[in-house]
Amino acid sequence: MTPLLKVQNIQKLYGKRIGCTDVSFDLYPGEVMGIVGESGSGKSTLLNCLAGHLAPDAGEVMFDTRAEGMKDTVTMSEPERRMLSRTDWAFVHQHARDGLRMNVSAGGNVGERLMAVGARHYGDIRDQAIDWLGRVEIQESRVDDRPTQFSGGMQQRLQIARNLVTGPRLVFMDEPTGGLDVSVQARLLDLLRGLVREMGLSAIIVTHDLAVVRLLADRLMVMKDGHVVETGLTDQVLDDPQHAYTQLLVSSVLQV
Amino acid sequence: MIEISNLSKTFTLHNQGGVVIPVMDGAELTVARGECVALTGASGAGKSTLMRMVYGNYLAASGHILIDGLDVTQAEPRQIFELRRHTLGYVSQFLRVVPRVPTLDVVAEPLLAIGVETETARDRARDLLTRLRIPERLWSLSPTSFSGGEQQRVNIARGFAHTYPAMLLDEPTASLDAANRETVLGLIEEAKARGAAIIGIFHDEAARDRVCDREIDVAIYTPKVA
Amino acid sequence: MALSGENRPYLDHSMADYNFAYLDEQTKRMIRRAILKGLAIPGYQVPFASREMPMPYGWGTGGVQVTAAALTPDDTLKVIDQGADDTTNAVSIRKFFEKTAGVATTEETGQASVIQTRHRIPEEDLREDQILVYQVPIPEPLRFLEPSEVETRKMHSLEEYGLMHVKLYEDISRHGAIATAYAYPVKVEGRYVMDPSPIPKFDNPKMEMAAIQLFGAGREQRIYAVPPHTQVVSLDFDDYPFEASKADAPCDLCGAEDSYLDEVIMDDAGTRMFVCSDTDYCTGRRKAGHIGAQGTAFEEDAA
């Protein structure tokens, strides 16, 4: 089996300060990898390098493209990369307003990616939008409402629908449950798990919430000061952490 | 099916002065298809530690654990994940689930994960929940609000949903009433009959005697404190 | 160094005190370059260093600069505002060029070599020897959905136009039909999506014409162009095709069935009449003897 994503020696520097350095891993189809670490550990920098939002200073991000197989997304042309980011890739932002058009209806938000890849039949676009709203538990009657009229949890689900409508293969998530009530978080996590399983998605989830990765991620990468300090199966890293920092991280979680 | 050789384990507590605690040394164990082996030994002897290493939950310091030919101590995370999905089941003492998910789906999930049709998976889940006497009115609720005994039974139903060729059972009959205990022992016997290799921890001696073919006292692998 | 009184333009209104067509030659050269670039890349918005003009932004400063750069002394200029030659804006701009360029002016579409327009395309077909100059308030068709100029430029360069259809989608979902009635977006020669300026969508099909079309946005500092006989397609959906709509009535003055109409409220009781928005077209028809429902036979002095 070939990996979907092959990351080699990614480095991003901010002047002399290290954003992230020497990061390598393979992600296989259907795998969900969590990246944990405290604020400033470089996890978001890494995610943005992987998703093409930031240009890394060194390293390769090889993606198994549908047309040409493995291809370095760092050196590919910008149109090609942007095409990937609205077809095979999805990016779920922590703040829904960064990932949604707040002045466009829910249906329009979901339909945008379809229209961006050439859909030109209003009825079909709308049907697909409604179908996806249903899959993220948003009622059909809300299809013409704007996201500003939605609760935080609904906005986040809408963002997910908008991202998944074109059937991507790789989803990047930046703190997808951050800032939500715990009950809303649980619903979202359940939804994400179901979608990952049904669609065979691969995902990279950046979060500082260990409970979230335990439930969502198969594998875990622990970052500190821009370096990867530990990787492994999620439950193994959490239950038998090897690195001092991971032990500290795990032992610092409040028990409920 | 399960071959453990020269297995050892240490814990290093970096945040407590770097103390190194050896907990297991030179463990050996082979379990054949259709065989059930009980781990015995006093509390703290390392029964759960051994089981967790077999599941890939704890990292081994040295040695090998072969399950259906795959060495868990050397495997990539995704290989272990595949192994857990298809080959190796684990019934722990505690139920760990996403809040809000209905009991029926919690039990069906291991089957859905290997691509079984939703309705087929749910039928199997209904069958197991019925056998384990979870009232049908609870199936649509999340088990997080259930009593300890009910949670344990949901956990067992989930663990037995898929017919794994190898299984790890950590106190499967603890806190169960006689009828449910009987059901669980029945499930274990069925698993053995279809050829599953099982490692179990049973404090319930009668249960142990009934389903286990052999016993291994893990205390013999506990490193002597110098 | 004070100018002597007779050299001050505002004291002496003779032609000699202005450079031809008001703008200095360097500026006109810069604008002509932008126009040529625009013609070479149909629909592409060319940035230019828009000058202060003696009129407020929004009154056609972009169109005036393009006209000034395009005019030659032999040209005949026509200026229309919403189709009419006789509104304040049209009259002012016409007089501006009469004074600063000394060119001939006309109200007859067929007589003009350069036509500056706000919000309309004349009803009469334009010819290859004519130039139509549009005044444009907001040249960026993607602007209302994407506020970032950096991002919209990138979208144009990468031909990422899905957002344009989002706007039309929103229209249909809210109004049951594409309600955009003016400034209806078009795709030029299969490449750039362009704002046709706030002309009614009735005029969109006319943009595939023989004349040169130039667009000037003064405040936004953009010039773009459509060369003669260029493909201009109005965006739409398969199941909601583009329709060039107009009021469903004939002109009450000249009886024309095919022209774009203005609705005029006649009294406090709400009596209405529909008249051609293109005043020259209407006058031409009435001169030729066409009479609408409320019209009278054309008399030279009655107009």
Side-chain angles (χ1 to χ4, degrees), chain B residues 125-148:
Chain B
R126 285 188 196 100
D127 177 45
L128 283 163
L129 288 169
T130 308
R131 285 181 69 182
L132 286 156
R133 298 174 185 80
I134 302 289
E136 191 169 347
R137 62 190 160 79
L138 298 181
W139 295 359
S140 59
L141 306 177
S142 165
T144 45
S145 56
F146 292 3
S147 73

Side-chain angles (χ1 to χ4, degrees), chain A residues 82 86 105 120-123, chain C residues 151 154 160 170 238-239:
Chain A
R82 282 173 72 112
R86 50 176 200 270
S105 70
R120 292 293 179 264
H121 190 283
Y122 175 82
Chain C
E151 186 62 19
K154 194 165 273 178
E160 290 180 4
E170 291 291 284
D238 297 345
D239 47 345

Side-chain angles (χ1 to χ4, degrees), chain A residues 49-233:
Chain A
C49 285
L50 300 179
H53 298 169
L54 275 178
D57 297 315
E60 291 180 345
V61 180
M62 306 291 289
F63 180 75
D64 185 17
T65 60
R66 286 178 208 242
E68 298 169 78
M70 278 301 197
K71 211 165 171 192
D72 187 359
T73 64
V74 176
T75 53
M76 73 169 45
S77 69
E78 189 175 13
E80 211 177 340
R81 193 163 49 239
R82 282 173 72 112
M83 182 54 105
L84 266 186
S85 69
R86 50 176 200 270
T87 53
D88 262 352
W89 290 358
F91 198 103
V92 177
H93 294 264
Q94 173 176 7
H95 300 294
R97 75 182 76 88
D98 296 333
L100 291 174
R101 292 192 189 279
M102 299 306 278
N103 56 352
V104 168
S105 70
N109 263 293
V110 178
E112 181 177 345
R113 269 172 81 114
L114 295 171
M115 293 182 245
V117 294
R120 292 293 179 264
H121 190 283
Y122 175 82
D124 291 350
I125 293 165
R126 193 170 172 82
D127 287 348
Q128 282 205 58
I130 289 169
D131 175 49
W132 265 97
L133 291 181
R135 290 169 77 165
V136 298
E137 303 172 33
I138 296 174
Q139 289 173 329
E140 180 176 346
S141 60
R142 305 299 301 269
V143 65
D144 293 328
D145 291 346
R146 293 185 176 186
T148 43
Q149 294 162 279
F150 287 4
S151 68
M154 275 176 84
Q155 289 181 2
Q156 204 58 311
R157 295 202 301 278
L158 178 61
Q159 195 193 173
I160 288 164
R162 169 182 159 89
N163 269 284
L164 297 189
V165 67
T166 48
R169 291 186 292 154
L170 176 57
V171 185
F172 300 101
M173 300 190 216
D174 189 3
E175 303 275 9
T177 59
L180 298 176
D181 292 343
V182 282
S183 61
V184 177
Q185 269 193 29
R187 188 175 180 184
L188 193 69
L189 288 174
D190 177 32
L191 177 75
L192 284 171
R193 268 165 72 100
L195 291 171
V196 162
R197 187 180 62 218
E198 285 162 28
M199 300 176 73
L201 294 175
S202 302
I204 298 177
I205 302 170
V206 159
T207 179
H208 61 264
D209 188 335
L210 298 183
V212 167
V213 287
R214 194 187 271 279
L215 290 173
L216 277 183
D218 309 333
R219 291 164 58 189
L220 203 55
M221 181 181 266
V222 183
M223 293 190 73
K224 181 172 168 49
D225 300 334
H227 296 264
V228 175
V229 297
E230 186 162 354
T231 62
L233 273 176

Side-chain angles (χ1 to χ4, degrees), chain C residues 41-44 156-157 161 186-194:
Chain C
I41 317 170
Y44 171 73
H156 280 295
S157 66
Y161 290 133
V186 294
K187 195 167 205 181
V188 182
E189 203 63 19
R191 178 58 181 85
Y192 283 95
V193 165
M194 184 185 93

